Amino acid sequence: MDNCLFCKIAAGEIPADKVYENDAVVAFRDLNPQAPTHVLVIPKKHIATLNELQSGDEAVVGRMYGAARDIAASEGFADPGYRTVMNCNEAGGQTVFHIHLHLLAGRMMHWPPG
Ligand code: 5GP
Ligand code: ZN
């Protein structure tokens, strides 16, 4: 999609510190990390919010979680634990309208989240 920051990162048009890529997803480090490790996993397909997820898109969301699992394992967080979050729209705290799974690790997470 034109003028989408994360589509441009997925296409390599805007630089990012990529940590993982396969045919379906790309993952890169968040510019403003909220934990010692903060990675964003995005689909290569443009999907604006979770609300726009189509019935054929479930597999890509599964691929996002599979990537998060693999990154957590390769960075040593599988056993200590980590958090995955997807924000939706304004009240959910979404600021970039191309779905992304936050992978946060390296510190104790709080509950309930703010
Ligand atoms: P949201 O608030 O939509 O759930 O998360 C958007 C995330 O994207 C934020 O954590 C923000 O720091 C991150 N972000 C925004 N712009 C950029 C960018 O240009 N590069 C990277 N790597 N992260 C970004
Ligand atoms: Zn996009």
Side-chain angles (χ1 to χ4, degrees), residues 49 87-95 97:
T49 82
N87 299 325
C88 183
N89 273 342
E90 187 181 0
Q94 186 176 7
T95 58
F97 289 86

Side-chain angles (χ1 to χ4, degrees), residues 35-103:
T37 291
H38 187 172
V39 170
L40 302 174
V41 183
I42 68 169
K44 290 188 172 176
K45 177 181 178 181
H46 180 82
I47 301 166
T49 82
L50 193 52
N51 292 333
E52 273 74 46
L53 197 74
Q54 308 290 310
S55 59
D57 294 333
E58 283 93 351
V60 89
V61 176
R63 302 290 298 278
M64 292 166 72
Y65 275 92
R69 173 205 57 209
D70 290 349
I71 297 161
S74 70
E75 299 209 0
F77 298 114
D79 284 342
Y82 55 93
R83 180 167 290 169
T84 54
V85 182
M86 192 187 298
N87 299 325
C88 183
N89 273 342
E90 187 181 0
Q94 186 176 7
T95 58
V96 177
F97 289 86
H98 177 131
I99 59 168
H100 45 281
L101 191 61
H102 294 262
L103 167 60

